[in-house]
Amino acid sequence: MPEITMPKLSDTMTEGTLLRWHKKKGDKIEVGDILAEVETDKATMEMESFEEGTLADIFVPEGGKVLVGAALALVLKDGEKAGDKPKASAPATSTSTAELSTPQARPAISSGRPLTPRARAAALRTGGGAGGNVNAGVRVKSTPLARKIADARGVRLDAVKGTGPGGRIIAFDVESAPVGSPAPASGSSPVAAILPTPIAGMPETKVPLSGMRRVIAERLLASKTQIPHFYLSIEIDAAPMMAFRKEYIAASGGKITFNDIALSAVARAAMQKPKVNAAFAGDSIVQYGSVNLSVAIAVEDGLVTPVIRDAQNLSLKEISAAVKDLATRARDKKLKPEEYAGGTITVSNLGSYGIEQFCAIVNPPQAAILAIGTIVKKPVVNSRDEIEIGHRMSITLSGDHRVVDGAVAAEYMTALRKLLESPALLLL
C-alpha cells in the first residue's frame, strides 16, 4: 500500500507546494506517469510516479504546502484495500508558510517518516560537493543510510540532532542539516535570535517567509556563523575591458556583457590558482579539478545560484549564452535541481544596480565568492604621474580562512586582474 510522499527535489528543499494534480482519484497509474506539479524553493517541477496501481486517495489539495516526506496520496495495487490515512505527522491540508516556519511545527513532520527511494537517491546524487568520509571516527547513534548521506553531503553527524527512536539520527535529519556543518563546540549553546518587538503607533505588515527566503536565511546565517570570513579588494583598470568588448562585438556581431567577461576571467584564474577553487570538508580540504561557476541571480522571491559547469573550457560566447539561459529559466522557476548543485566558486555582480563595491557572503561549502561592482569614471594617476580620467571596477573576494589564506587569495586576485586588464587572453 504505497504512499506517494513529497520528494526532496533539491538539496535545500524542506517543503513544497502541490500546484496541480495530473491524475485524479480512481485513475490507473503506471511507473513514470506524471502525477503532479510541485513548486520547490527554486523551481516548478513535474513529479513522476514510481508506483503502479490505482490512485486510491489524494491527501493534499492543489495549492497545499507540505514538508518533504509528508504523504500526498495513496496508491493501491490490484486486490489491495485502503487502510487508515496518514496520521497527524503528515499535513494534508494547506498550511501557511508562517505556521511551517515555527520551530514547533517542524519536529512533528520530521520525526521519522521514511524517505522515498527517489529522495534517498537524490540526496546521494546531489551531494553539494563536499564529499569524503567526514564522519570517520565520529561516534553517534545514526542509521547506515543517514551516515552514507552525511558523507555524500559533507555533513558532520555530531552537529546533527537526531529525531529517530532514542535520538538516533535518520536520513531526514541529515538532509535538513547545513552542508559542511562543523563539530559543535564543547559547552556551546544556541544563541537566541533577536526578533523585532511591536513599536507603539507604528503600522506594519508581516510578510510570511517563502520557502526560498527561509532557505536563504538558514544558509547565510550558517555561513556567517560557521565560516571564518576574510575579504580582499582590488580595483582594476576597466578601460582595456571596455575596448575589448567593443572590438569583440564589432568583429563577431555577437553581444557579450562585462559580466560575461568577468565570469570567464574568474573561471580561468581559478584554474591557474586552484587553491581557491575548493571546499572545507571537516578533516580535509577538497580542491576541485574543474571550475563549476555558481552565478548569483536575483529572482522574485530572493536569490538563486545556478551553475555553469566546466566554465574554464567555455568561450565567451558560450558563457554568455549559458548565463542568459540560466537567468531566464531561474526567473521562470524552470531550472532542474541538478543545475543548482555542484558549484565550486561563486560570482555575484551588482554592477547593473550601480553598486561600486560590496562584500558577499561565502556560499557554503565553497571557499570563495567574488563580488563585482560597476565600472565608474574617476580621476586616476597614470604612469607619468599625471591625473587623468580613468575607468575602474572594484572586485572583492570573500574567503573561507579555513581553506584559503590571505597570500593565496592575493595570488588569485593578481591572476584575475591580469586577465581582466588583458582580456584578449580570454580568447586563447
Side-chain angles (χ1 to χ4, degrees):
M1 192 182 300
E3 285 180 358
I4 305 298
T5 60
M6 176 62 75
K8 186 174 179 66
L9 298 173
S10 74
D11 59 343
T12 57
M13 179 179 173
T14 58
E15 69 176 22
T17 300
L18 196 299
L19 291 181
R20 186 173 300 105
W21 283 104
H22 284 221
K23 298 289 185 181
K24 62 181 183 297
K25 188 175 176 178
D27 281 355
K28 289 287 187 182
I29 294 174
E30 302 291 336
V31 174
D33 283 355
I34 303 300
L35 288 178
E37 292 178 23
V38 172
E39 184 182 56
T40 73
D41 55 328
K42 294 175 178 174
T44 298
M45 308 181 66
E46 292 179 336
M47 186 178 74
E48 293 181 26
S49 173
F50 290 83
E51 308 292 345
E52 61 181 10
T54 301
L55 188 60
D57 208 348
I58 290 176
F59 304 141
V60 178
E62 293 183 350
K65 288 184 178 181
V66 294
L67 297 186
V68 170
L72 302 175
L74 179 68
V75 175
L76 295 179
K77 298 183 182 300
D78 291 342
E80 283 188 325
K81 294 182 179 180
D84 294 333
K85 285 185 177 182
K87 306 300 181 186
S89 60
T93 58
S94 297
T95 307
S96 73
T97 304
E99 290 170 337
L100 288 170
S101 65
T102 58
Q104 293 79 11
R106 290 185 174 189
I109 306 304
S110 63
S111 59
R113 179 173 292 282
L115 300 176
T116 64
R118 185 185 185 189
R120 295 177 185 181
L124 295 171
R125 211 172 40 244
T126 59
N133 185 9
V134 301
N135 291 293
V138 175
R139 293 179 176 275
V140 295
K141 290 193 295 185
S142 61
T143 65
L145 178 60
R147 185 169 287 270
K148 189 173 182 181
I149 294 175
D151 285 339
R153 299 188 70 223
V155 174
R156 286 187 61 94
L157 287 172
D158 51 2
V160 177
K161 182 180 180 181
T163 62
R168 187 179 298 276
I169 297 171
I170 60 175
F172 192 96
D173 302 326
V174 178
E175 290 183 314
S176 302
V179 175
S181 304
S186 178
S188 64
S189 59
V191 178
I194 300 174
L195 301 177
T197 56
I199 301 174
M202 176 69 74
E204 61 181 30
T205 301
K206 184 170 289 187
V207 180
L209 287 180
S210 65
M212 178 182 293
R213 178 52 55 189
R214 185 166 57 250
V215 169
I216 290 172
E218 292 174 350
R219 286 180 63 85
L220 295 189
L221 176 63
S223 176
K224 285 293 281 184
T225 56
Q226 299 173 5
I227 295 177
H229 282 61
F230 75 100
Y231 309 93
L232 291 184
S233 295
I234 58 173
E235 186 179 79
I236 70 159
D237 181 359
M241 190 166 59
M242 296 171 69
F244 171 80
R245 176 174 176 266
K246 186 175 180 179
E247 292 174 6
Y248 181 94
I249 293 173
S252 68
K255 185 178 180 181
I256 59 170
T257 66
F258 294 119
N259 188 52
D260 299 332
I261 298 172
L263 292 175
S264 179
V266 166
R268 296 200 180 202
M271 285 302 289
Q272 295 176 18
K273 306 295 178 183
K275 289 184 178 179
V276 303
N277 191 44
F280 185 75
D283 60 353
S284 62
I285 292 172
V286 178
Q287 291 186 2
Y288 299 107
S290 187
V291 181
N292 287 350
L293 209 54
S294 296
V295 183
I297 296 175
V299 296
E300 183 179 357
D301 293 336
L303 182 72
V304 296
T305 53
V307 176
I308 300 174
R309 299 183 189 282
D310 303 320
Q312 79 281 2
N313 296 327
L314 301 182
S315 67
L316 280 169
K317 182 180 179 181
E318 290 170 330
I319 283 185
S320 181
V323 172
K324 288 184 177 69
D325 174 59
L326 291 173
T328 299
R329 290 191 293 122
R331 290 170 181 136
D332 293 339
K333 292 192 171 185
K334 297 297 184 184
L335 290 176
K336 300 174 182 176
E338 56 267 29
E339 291 179 292
Y340 294 100
T344 61
I345 190 170
T346 297
V347 174
S348 178
N349 189 338
L350 292 179
S352 62
Y353 294 90
I355 301 301
E356 293 186 20
Q357 190 271 335
F358 66 105
C359 300
I361 297 175
V362 171
N363 181 19
Q366 299 169 19
I369 181 172
L370 280 303
I372 298 176
T374 191
I375 296 174
V376 296
K377 187 185 294 186
K378 61 191 299 184
V380 297
V381 178
N382 62 24
S383 59
R384 301 183 297 276
D385 289 337
E386 300 168 340
I387 297 177
E388 64 179 15
I389 297 175
H391 292 85
R392 295 292 185 267
M393 185 170 77
S394 174
I395 304 175
T396 297
L397 178 147
S398 303
D400 180 347
H401 222 320
R402 299 172 301 178
V403 180
V404 181
D405 293 325
V408 171
E411 291 175 357
Y412 172 78
M413 295 297 268
T414 299
L416 180 59
R417 179 200 293 275
K418 182 178 180 180
L419 288 169
L420 290 175
E421 294 186 344
S422 304
L425 295 174
L426 299 175
L427 300 177
L428 300 179

